[in-house]
Amino acid sequence: MASIILEYGLYLVILVALGIPLGGYIERVMAGEHTFLSRVCDPVENGITRVLKIDREEEMDWKQYLKSVLAFSVCGLVFLFLLLMTQGFLAGNPQGVKGMRWDLAFNTAVSFVTNTNWQAYSGESQLSDLTQMLGMTVQNFVSAGTGIAVLFALIRGFNKVKEKGLGSFWVDVTRVIVHVLLPLNLVLALALIGGGVVQNLKGGETVDLLEPIAVSADGNVMDNAVIDQNAGTVSVNGKTVAGATIVTQEFVPMGPGASQIAIKQTGTNGGGFMGVNSAHPLENPSSFTNSLEMLSILLIPVALCFSFGRAVKNKKQGIAIFCAMFICLCVALAALAVNEQLGTPELAQNGSVDLSWSAEQCGGNMEGKEARFGIVSSSTWAAFTTAASNGSVNAMHDSLTPLGGMVTMLLMQLGEVIFGGVGCGLYGMLAFAILTVFIAGLMVGRTPEFLGKKIEPYEMKWAVLVCLATPIAILAGSGIAMSIPGVVDSLTNSGAHGFSEILYAYSSCGGNNGSAFAGLAANTPFFNITLGMVMLFARFLPIAGILAISGNLVQKKRIAVTAGTLSTTNGTFVFLLILIVLLIGALSFFPALSLGPLAEFFSQMM
Amino acid sequence: MAYHEKSKRVLADKKMIGRAVKDSFIKLNPRVQFANPVMFLVYVSAILTTGLWVCSWFGIQDASGAYTLAIAVILWFTVIFANFAEAIAEGRGKAQADALRSAKKDVDAHRIPSAEQKDAITVVSSVALKKGDLVIVKAGEIIPGDGDVIDGAASVDESAITGESAPVIRESGGDRSAVTGGTTVLSDWIVVCITSEAGESFMDKMIAMVEGAARKKTPNEIALQIFLVALSIIFILVTLSLYSYSLFSARQAGIANPTSVTTLVALLVCLAPTTIGALLSSIGIAGMSRLNQANVLAMSGRAIEAAGDVDILMLDKTGTITLGNRQADDFIPVDGTDPRELADAAQLSSLADETPEGRSVVVLAKERYGLRGRNLEEKQVSFVPFTAKTRMSGVDYDGIAIRKGAADSVKKYVLDNGGTYSKACEDAVLEVSNKGGTPLVVAKDFKVLGIIYLKDIIKDGVQEKFADLRKMGIKTIMITGDNPVTAAAIAAEAGVDDFLAQSTPEGKLTMIRDFQKKGHLVAMTGDGTNDAPALAQADVAVAMNTGTQAAKEAGNMVDLDSSPTKLIDIVRIGKQLLMTRGSLTTFSIANDVAKYFAIIPALFLGLYPGLSALNIMGLSSPQSAVLSAIIYNALIIVALIPLALKGVAYREVPAGKLLSRNLLIYGLGGLAAPFVFIKLIDMLLTAFGLA
């Protein structure tokens, strides 16, 4: 048992140990300071700004900054949409895939531009190599870059006094991609290739199966069949089955995987190269690649907390925000781990199935999990990927225990602020911090202030919108979906679990997470469009809100710190911040969760 | 007497409550309700459920008619309770406004063309007076409007506005020239130049303020309202989506939708932050009212909120930090003079000095050396009074000249007349100054005898007060006309954080600006016309009611008592107002947890029997669970009215401690209280067979 706890602990320790120096590096990059990579990256950055005629000294006000973000995203969206529709006619298509239907193309384009990476398609069968490289990989980089750029625009709002400009979006996004994302992912991609992750342009290979399998006339794999390869017959219980075929070869899809999988993990994108994401043996072959990919999920979100502290010249503030997120993550991880390790009464079958942990087996609920990863790596991944708005999976969340599944759902429903997406998780959390100082400020009889800037009605208006965008999107989306009788056809399960499947889909898109509960056939025009709208709403409303807040803060003077100033770096603040995040999440989703995972959990207890 | 007064108060309270009850119903007007979004939601819900009840007569129903009626009635009561909270808070102000109105009668004004033509009186109505008109007011007459005294002096009864029956002196020139319309001249006469027209007078503003008519929402209140509205919107979405969820789940289970619209409306009202929503405006009104009771009149609600944020208090030394007058503390002889001779000379020079300082010299001489007052009538005596030019006073008798005064003046006087001014004397003067005292040098026949040590007496308890303020993060700055050395010594003794010595109006203004530039919020009091620029600059500026019209215009509060320590009370009231809002908001939101645990299991028990595990309160039936939660929701408003009016307890402790304390009481309390009370209500409902 100690070894299990040690493994969980080790993941967390390595994560933080890597995050702290990276945080410092990102801060120096965004401040335009010299770093050990400047010699290599500066020429690239200068080249880009010169070719694109970017004014490096430009100071945008918040509306210009927002317009730039929107213009950038809309262009990416239109380009990706067209690429997905027309990929069948374009080069770089060794698999010969067809263009997507318009609603799926819309959903997919929105999903990648919003850093959600919800996938209602399977990459290996529906995307060409060209689309993977020019469409998906590019959006993985730029959507992550956009999130970090907006975060730093907010930081400038806190830092600058009585000014107007928040910096230039074009400079910020270029800098993040060139100095941070490209070098980091280059190293990671090479490491993954070394670990056996696929990276080629072959389109795929046909290989012999180790053991032939029998397929019945209606296309199903037949268990318990006896195959006589010489005679070419298939028999079940001694009777020959007519029309059955024997399959001896399989087609293994391949492509430029590692280069995309690296940014998929570090950019909190999560859109798998393959349909089953990192559960696929070519996307995530071993425990080595698994550890790399898993730690990459939270690496930048953790690092940004420390970047934030350094940038606002108050390292303690960064640590406080980090602690609030980290405590929530640990609690969520513990809840998930315990539930998965315990399994459920149904799995145990009154003790006839051995769920206990031993040196030989990892025990617990192994349904939907890869045997090569086991409970610990699967639970940790599930917690990391839903805490961060990553959404890649190495196990099927549909098969998690009811409460384990609820933890992943809740992490997304909290607004993806437990580290969350790169940039957006932290700025979302800062909006919650604004709500927290408001409540706390009132309780000690002072007009609230955060980092020396007064919080007034204007900031409050936008902060509540930022914090409530996710709950609004999820509640409205899932509410509408469930009132439509036809959606039941998309479900694999009925009852409370079927309810969870729909709730999870909207939570995933409303949190810009993108992970799937599986079990929901989401590729219908209804789901594609409504989920697409939910993703757009949950991405761009907070961006607008954060930039508006920043644009207002930047004009304010800084209030002096006195003994009457409420500390935003101590334990009380961290506690209160967690409380507010949990309270808003719980108040919004308690009814929904009680009809889904809670109902399922209590039903099996009876 | 005491009993009589008490019964009178009870009677007044009864009258006030009666009026508030009546007002609660008048406030059901949709336009009034619309101003408070959270309560408007309850109002609409009440109308909706009433409509559903009416529908149920015709067989259109998804819940039983009696149940719908019960919910509707409780919702109406919730609205009325909220109205009552506001009405009772307004009541106190209304009563005060009525008293003021009765004082503000139209009176005949005696207008005169100029100050010289006091007999050329034209009688006009006070409402017809224009700015710049001159009126003469004699003993027994009511001053017809606000203005400045330009001629004469009179004692004036200002009890109509201050409640203080002791008359005050109002005279032309200086800082006591402002008079307020509606107050009564008791003796003598004054000529008043009218400065405000009817309808805009101080009294009018005061009536509007205490009545709440001019009450605008403050920024902080708006920010809180935004938060509450956002929460309400989320809860509207929660209930709407819950209907759909429930429909979906029921369809899957093949049963009828267990969720009725009535129950969902009840759930919505329970979840919406109705407790704080209902009490929000009463908290604001009550805060204003507390300020009025402290005899401070805020010109806007903003000012009182700013008071809570103030972190620099600029306090006048005299009257706030020290007792108004310095007292003789010691006689210090120099150049080998006999102490007794010094005391004798000092006493003689002070006998005719009627100032408290002069009297204290006489007292000290008597205490120390048993020197009694002598009858000076018999001898050849002439007193030399203090003038600003000589800065000395004294006495000439029997050909002997005794002078006492400021060191440099006496030095010049002695040297000019051929005397000497020793080094020892200079040292003694410096020493007294360094200790924060005021040295008065005494000379007899151009020979320096020694020094009277006048000491500033620090008020009792100010050190503790300032230490408390410091803990809260409020810095105190002492403003004084003393020289820096004296000021530093007094500052150290009183425990203020900083001081401004030899202050001038410009000096004060610069200091305020500097602090504001560094991000501080500054509060100050002032009375004179030369304080006006600084008052206008300060974030919280309290003008003394005894002060000039200019000072009152520049400030954003007027202290009717003209007490220099009032600033500290104002800060306390400001903080308390914000704290009450914050604490009740926390309480209100924390309540929702228990309400969920009451209603959700009740709603879906039929669908998922396993959810009964969440019914941790063990409520007897789904209907009684919903009813109990919503009854609690209505009653908690009434229960918290006293707290909203009184404000939460306030202590001078650091912000962190205050937060932990309030979080514990109102956060944890808000979490636990409804569990207990909803269960109790459920037991009562069950016991009486109501549900």
Side-chain angles (χ1 to χ4, degrees), chain B residues 186-354:
Chain B
L186 292 180
S187 66
D188 305 298
W189 55 268
I190 43 175
V191 176
V192 177
C193 175
I194 298 295
T195 52
S196 67
E197 285 171 34
E200 294 162 16
S201 68
F202 184 66
M203 193 79 106
D204 290 311
K205 279 185 204 159
M206 195 162 160
I207 290 170
M209 281 311 299
V210 294
E211 212 174 23
R215 212 179 82 83
K216 284 206 190 79
K217 281 188 184 135
T218 57
N220 204 281
E221 207 175 343
I222 293 169
L224 181 56
Q225 195 135 52
I226 289 170
F227 180 62
L228 298 180
V229 168
L231 279 179
S232 306
I233 290 172
I234 271 293
F235 290 129
I236 291 174
L237 274 173
V238 165
T239 39
L240 282 178
S241 64
L242 188 59
Y243 189 76
S244 163
Y245 294 162
S246 161
L247 196 69
F248 173 89
S249 304
R251 212 187 283 137
Q252 294 240 312
I255 61 169
N257 189 356
T259 316
S260 66
V261 176
T262 311
T263 304
L264 277 185
V265 169
L267 175 64
L268 173 60
V269 171
C270 276
L271 294 180
T274 47
T275 313
I276 178 66
L279 297 173
L280 189 55
S281 70
S282 17
I283 293 169
I285 298 167
M288 196 67 101
S289 183
R290 276 199 298 279
L291 199 63
N292 291 338
Q293 278 171 354
N295 259 345
V296 177
L297 203 59
M299 294 305 167
S300 75
R302 251 167 218 268
I304 167 168
E305 263 178 22
D309 290 342
V310 158
D311 55 1
I312 303 277
L313 287 188
M314 299 200 12
L315 301 169
D316 278 326
K317 182 195 81 177
T318 310
T320 314
I321 296 165
T322 60
L323 291 173
N325 316 303
R326 286 170 291 199
Q327 291 184 353
D329 194 57
D330 200 4
F331 296 113
I332 305 166
V334 293
D335 305 339
T337 313
D338 176 24
R340 215 183 151 79
E341 189 188 355
L342 170 63
D344 186 59
Q347 187 222 36
L348 273 174
S349 68
S350 305
L351 278 175
D353 187 350
E354 280 301 310

Side-chain angles (χ1 to χ4, degrees), chain A residues 442-443 447 457 478-479 495 564 587, chain B residues 244-245 252 309 472 579 596 662:
Chain A
L442 281 185
M443 275 200 284
T447 303
S478 59
L587 292 182
Chain B
S244 163
Y245 294 162
Q252 294 240 312
D309 290 342
M472 292 161 57
M579 273 165 56
Y596 262 140
N662 284 340

Side-chain angles (χ1 to χ4, degrees), chain A residues 2 7 72 95 124 135 280 284 300 332 342 363 391 424 444 488 494 568:
Chain A
E7 194 177 344
F72 189 58
Q95 302 91 335
E124 63 268 41
H280 196 287
N284 186 12
I300 296 182
L342 288 177
C424 46
V444 298
V488 182
S494 61
T568 52

Side-chain angles (χ1 to χ4, degrees), chain A residues 383-432:
Chain A
F384 279 19
T385 198
T386 47
S389 75
N390 186 290
S392 64
V393 292
N394 73 348
M396 296 302 111
H397 290 187
D398 197 18
S399 299
L400 294 173
T401 57
L403 291 186
M406 183 172 87
V407 171
T408 61
M409 247 187 269
L410 192 61
L411 280 172
M412 298 186 289
Q413 289 163 343
L414 293 182
E416 285 297 5
V417 293
I418 311 306
F419 293 109
V422 288
C424 46
L426 184 51
Y427 65 63
M429 193 55 145
L430 292 176
F432 273 104

Side-chain angles (χ1 to χ4, degrees), chain B residues 45 59 66 129 141 146 179 194 211 244 273 275 277 342 358 397 423 466 481 524 546 570 629 633 639 680:
Chain B
S45 301
L129 286 175
E141 292 174 356
D146 295 356
V179 288
I194 298 295
E211 212 174 23
S244 163
T275 313
L342 170 63
Y397 85 108
K423 177 83 176 48
F466 294 148
M524 71 168 283
T546 53
I570 293 172
N633 194 54
L680 273 178

Side-chain angles (χ1 to χ4, degrees), chain B residues 639-663:
Chain B
L640 289 176
I641 290 177
L643 185 66
L645 296 185
K646 216 170 72 198
V648 303
Y650 167 84
R651 260 169 227 177
E652 274 139 2
V653 293
K657 263 192 202 157
L658 208 56
L659 178 63
S660 308
R661 195 170 160 272
N662 284 340
L663 209 55

Side-chain angles (χ1 to χ4, degrees), chain A residues 214-223 244-245:
Chain A
V215 178
S216 68
D218 50 10
N220 290 324
V221 176
M222 299 162 70
D223 300 332
T245 36

Side-chain angles (χ1 to χ4, degrees), chain A residues 236-566:
Chain A
V236 175
N237 298 334
K239 277 181 237 164
T240 311
V241 182
T245 36
I246 302 165
V247 179
T248 56
Q249 288 187 314
E250 70 168 330
F251 177 75
V252 179
M254 294 175 173
S259 56
Q260 188 187 328
I261 291 160
I263 181 68
K264 169 195 95 175
Q265 298 303 106
T266 55
T268 59
N269 294 287
F273 191 80
M274 309 288 185
V276 292
N277 216 308
S278 284
H280 196 287
L282 289 186
E283 186 150 347
N284 186 12
S286 64
S287 59
F288 168 69
T289 57
N290 190 68
S291 306
L292 281 185
E293 290 182 18
M294 197 162 71
L295 291 171
S296 306
I297 294 175
L298 281 177
L299 181 61
I300 296 182
V302 167
L304 284 173
C305 293
F306 300 107
S307 310
F308 168 71
R310 289 178 67 113
V312 297
K313 309 277 181 298
N314 184 350
K315 284 190 189 168
K316 277 190 184 163
Q317 188 65 67
I319 294 171
I321 300 276
F322 167 79
C323 286
M325 292 176 167
F326 193 71
I327 290 169
C328 290
L329 176 72
C330 290
V331 171
L333 178 57
L336 236 165
V338 167
N339 274 292
E340 293 311 303
Q341 195 69 55
L342 288 177
T344 63
E346 276 133 331
L347 283 169
Q349 297 287 323
N350 284 327
S352 58
V353 177
D354 181 14
L355 292 183
S356 62
W357 176 85
S358 68
E360 284 76 37
Q361 66 159 17
C362 56
N365 168 24
M366 277 301 287
E367 185 194 302
K369 295 188 178 63
E370 293 292 303
R372 65 185 188 280
F373 302 139
I375 300 283
V376 177
S377 293
S378 303
S379 302
T380 310
W381 189 301
F384 279 19
T385 198
T386 47
S389 75
N390 186 290
S392 64
V393 292
N394 73 348
M396 296 302 111
H397 290 187
D398 197 18
S399 299
L400 294 173
T401 57
L403 291 186
M406 183 172 87
V407 171
T408 61
M409 247 187 269
L410 192 61
L411 280 172
M412 298 186 289
Q413 289 163 343
L414 293 182
E416 285 297 5
V417 293
I418 311 306
F419 293 109
V422 288
C424 46
L426 184 51
Y427 65 63
M429 193 55 145
L430 292 176
F432 273 104
I434 288 177
L435 287 196
T436 307
V437 294
F438 180 75
I439 304 268
L442 281 185
M443 275 200 284
V444 298
R446 265 177 84 101
T447 303
E449 64 200 60
F450 187 46
L451 291 169
K453 297 289 181 96
K454 243 186 180 179
I455 304 302
E456 284 167 306
Y458 187 85
E459 286 82 18
M460 273 303 283
K461 188 174 69 189
W462 285 107
V464 294
L465 281 177
V466 173
C467 295
L468 297 182
T470 294
I472 289 173
I474 299 173
L475 288 170
S478 59
I480 291 169
M482 289 199 222
S483 63
I484 292 170
V487 296
V488 182
D489 301 338
S490 289
L491 298 176
T492 316
N493 291 283
S494 61
H497 200 75
F499 180 93
S500 294
E501 287 174 356
I502 297 182
L503 182 64
Y504 193 103
Y506 284 93
S507 302
S508 175
C509 290
N512 279 173
N513 180 285
S515 66
F517 206 43
L520 177 72
N523 186 12
T524 67
F526 174 78
F527 278 122
N528 281 335
I529 292 166
T530 53
L531 290 172
M533 304 300 273
V534 164
M535 287 187 267
L536 285 174
F537 182 84
R539 170 77 168 180
F540 291 106
L541 181 66
I543 287 184
I546 287 295
L547 290 174
I549 290 172
S550 182
N552 206 43
L553 289 179
V554 79
Q555 298 173 34
K556 294 190 177 184
K557 64 176 184 180
R558 183 171 290 131
I559 311 276
V561 176
T562 67
T565 310
L566 200 66

